[in-house]
Every structure is written in structure tokens, then in C-alpha cells.
Amino acid sequence: MKGVVPATLLAALDAKLKAQNKPGVASCFDLFAGTSTGCIIAGALASAPVVETFGGRRYDSPSDILRIYREKGPSIFQPHSALIERLTKNPIDWWGQSYSSKGKEQAFLEAFGRTRLGDLNRNFVATFYEMSPEPRAVIAAAGPMFRKTGDAEYDRFYLRDIVNASSAAPIFFNPAAIDENKVLAVDGGIFANNPAAAAYFAAASLVEPERVAGIEIVSFGCGGVRVKYPKEIGTWGPVEWIKPEQGVPLLNLVSDSQASAIDRQLKSFLGSRYDRFQPPLSEVVGTKGQRLGRMDDGRAENLDALQRIAQAYIDTPEVDARLTALAKRL
């Protein structure tokens, strides 16, 4: 559900572009890349011109994309859905993933229909980790820029399946079955929680050498959380490290650390050609002071809190100036 944060940031940029009589966000970038919840956003923007042709729903702007989270969040993260599903099949099967994948799969079916990556006329990069038949990190790319070079490896895949795989977070969901159930895959955040580097090298491999120095990247994060681990961490066992009610500390540790590492590397490598927008989410609280901000909380109250945090970040003079400058460059 933290995709509400980058979607809100993109909506602010979209408004600034249109205030300057420019096309919206969906028409101002050469490539859209995403991991996990970011893959939903990237997929929606990349497929907007064609998705209705294949029975999907067109999301032309970030404000439209916010509706995915508002409308589908509760069904994707339905409490006890996986437990009920398992116990129906086996009365003693108490352990497994936190949520059924059915709500997520249905949401992506409605959003993307029968659109395949080969149908896209905007460039798109997604990440997921293939568990079987061969464990490997996958950077799936599609669109006009890739087809020109004969890169059509993933063109036959349904967009809904790629997005489903990229967002199949371990512990929360079972691995996603894609490519006619021949492949089982999990969340790309396992290795590319910040997919900016994957996007850069995918693009750099396709353009003329003299154009590589002109590649610019704008990265919109889901919010940086500075986790304060309790003193008891020194005695934690396997269960404490994977508890969903604690935010799955192990998953957060892996994803946040490598995302921040990629951020630092790209800043050093690209300098001013890399722009990262990442609101602080250290204290996400509701109107009654309750702790909010979990990635698996689809309630309107949680989404409202995330959107307020993103908007407060946008309203700071520094970020407002950066977004205005970015809109002028695009």
C-alpha cells in the first residue's frame, strides 16, 4: 500500500507539468521502471495508451493510479484470507503466507486485462526473482526501444502476471505462478527494491554510446523508514525476524539497506542526472495517535495517513522547488 506515496509525488509533478502546458507524467518519460508496488505504477503508466484494447482499465495519470490502491487495497490485504483458504483445504494447516493471492490477482486482471508486454508502446522495466525452475534475478524489459534491438524475451508475458510476480512479497503472499505456471517468482524487492540502477543499465545498453551521458533518472520512493530496533534484537530467533505484526524486520532490513546503497551509488555515479524523492516515514500515525504505515494495511485510514505524509513532504519549499525545476526540464 506504500505505493500511495510515489503515486502522490507523481501526481504533484503531473500538476506542475500541466500548469506549464506540458503533457502529463505518462508522456514525459522515455522509460518506466518499478519493483513491487512501484511495478503497479510503472505498469499502469506504460500501458495507458493500449490497455483498454485488451480489456484492462486505462490509468492516464498518477491520480488515476491512486484509485487502484483506494479501490483494491482492502481486497488485496483481506485479514485472515490466506488462513481461511488453507484451513478449507486442510484443517490443520495453520502456517503459511499471510494473505491469499486471489485479491491481488483479480485486481491486476481488472487493471491490465489481456495486455502483454509485447503490446506496450511505452518502454517498461520490471524486476522479480525467479524461484523455479531456475533461481535467478530477472529484469524484464519491453517496449519500442527494446524491440528495435530484438529484445523480445518477455513480450509473450501478460503484464498482469509480471506485476503480480514483482509484488509477491515473501511471507505476505505465495510465489506468483507465471508463464502458464511454468515459473514461480517472488517480489523484485529481494534484489532491486530501488530499480533505478536496473532501469539505467537497461537503457544504457540500448542507446548509442554518445547518448549514454545524457540519460537522466528520476526516482520516486515509497518513503524512508528509520527503524529503531528494540534492545531484545540481540536475542531474537527466526520467528521474531519474520513477524508480520513487527513489519517483517528481516524483509525490511534487506530491502531498505540495498535500496539506500543503490541511491548512494547512483548519486555518486550520475550526479545531477539522478534525482531521488523519498519522504521520511519514521512516524506514520493516525488521527487518534495509532501507529500506521504498514505495507499490508489497505484501510482508508492507513492510505490517508500515507498520503498526508507524502503531501507534507511535497509542500516543503525545497521539494516544491525541486519538482518545479524538474517539470521545467521535462
Side-chain angles (χ1 to χ4, degrees):
M1 291 296 101
K2 288 185 178 179
V4 165
V5 174
T8 302
L9 295 172
L10 283 163
L13 176 59
D14 197 64
K16 287 186 178 294
L17 286 166
K18 291 176 179 176
Q20 297 177 24
N21 296 316
K22 294 182 177 181
V25 162
S27 301
C28 287
F29 290 94
D30 296 312
L31 185 150
F32 298 96
T35 287
S36 196
T37 192
C39 193
I40 302 172
I41 298 170
L45 292 173
S47 66
V50 299
V51 69
E52 287 181 318
T53 305
F54 301 98
R57 182 173 178 180
R58 182 167 181 152
Y59 295 94
D60 275 312
S61 72
S63 296
D64 293 335
I65 294 170
L66 280 167
R67 294 205 311 270
I68 298 178
Y69 295 95
R70 293 284 180 182
E71 295 172 2
K72 302 302 180 183
S75 61
I76 291 175
F77 293 108
Q78 185 175 352
H80 311 302
S81 56
L83 179 61
I84 294 170
E85 192 174 89
R86 289 196 304 275
L87 293 181
T88 300
K89 298 176 182 178
N90 184 349
I92 62 172
D93 187 7
W94 286 88
W95 301 100
Q97 80 281 14
S98 299
Y99 301 98
S100 168
S101 298
K102 290 182 179 178
K104 185 161 68 88
E105 291 168 356
Q106 182 61 33
F108 298 154
L109 174 62
E110 293 175 12
F112 303 117
R114 303 180 309 280
T115 308
R116 296 180 188 268
L117 266 61
D119 300 318
L120 301 179
N121 56 20
R122 289 174 177 164
N123 299 305
F124 172 69
V125 168
T127 68
F128 59 86
Y129 191 86
E130 185 176 303
M131 301 294 292
S132 68
E134 179 183 351
R136 61 181 182 134
V138 175
I139 299 173
M145 185 168 71
F146 299 96
R147 284 196 290 273
K148 282 182 181 179
T149 65
D151 184 356
E153 180 180 358
Y154 293 96
D155 277 9
R156 73 180 189 279
F157 284 73
Y158 285 112
L159 176 59
R160 65 176 187 254
D161 288 345
I162 295 295
V163 174
N164 188 34
S166 186
S167 59
I171 301 174
F172 293 101
F173 297 103
N174 278 340
I178 62 176
D179 196 17
E180 299 178 344
N181 294 326
K182 290 182 289 188
V183 172
L184 286 178
V186 297
D187 198 312
I190 293 297
F191 73 96
N193 199 41
N194 179 351
Y200 174 81
F201 288 108
S205 67
L206 298 177
V207 302
E208 298 82 359
E210 60 271 19
R211 293 184 59 199
V212 172
I215 294 176
E216 295 187 31
I217 293 178
V218 184
S219 176
F220 297 90
C222 291
V225 180
R226 290 187 177 275
V227 179
K228 293 182 179 180
Y229 293 102
K231 293 179 180 180
E232 293 77 17
I233 191 173
T235 59
W236 275 6
V239 173
E240 284 80 11
W241 278 104
I242 62 172
K243 276 186 177 179
E245 59 267 30
Q246 293 181 179
V248 191
L250 181 60
L251 196 59
N252 282 332
L253 185 64
V254 171
S255 60
D256 291 344
S257 59
Q258 58 90 0
S260 60
I262 289 293
D263 182 44
R264 291 195 300 272
Q265 291 163 2
L266 286 177
K267 282 179 181 176
S268 176
F269 183 56
L270 296 177
S272 62
R273 293 189 289 125
Y274 172 70
D275 209 351
R276 171 79 162 167
F277 293 87
Q278 178 77 313
L281 292 181
S282 55
E283 291 295 333
V284 184
V285 296
T287 54
K288 297 180 181 179
Q290 68 275 40
R291 184 74 179 179
L292 298 172
R294 284 177 52 157
M295 62 171 283
D296 60 335
D297 187 347
R299 296 174 301 158
E301 183 180 24
N302 187 55
L303 302 184
D304 289 344
L306 289 170
Q307 199 159 3
R308 283 196 303 271
I309 293 291
Q311 191 59 54
Y313 174 76
I314 291 164
D315 290 339
T316 61
E318 178 194 355
V319 174
D320 181 70
R322 287 173 59 200
L323 287 170
T324 300
L326 174 60
K328 289 180 180 178
R329 293 203 314 270
L330 293 174

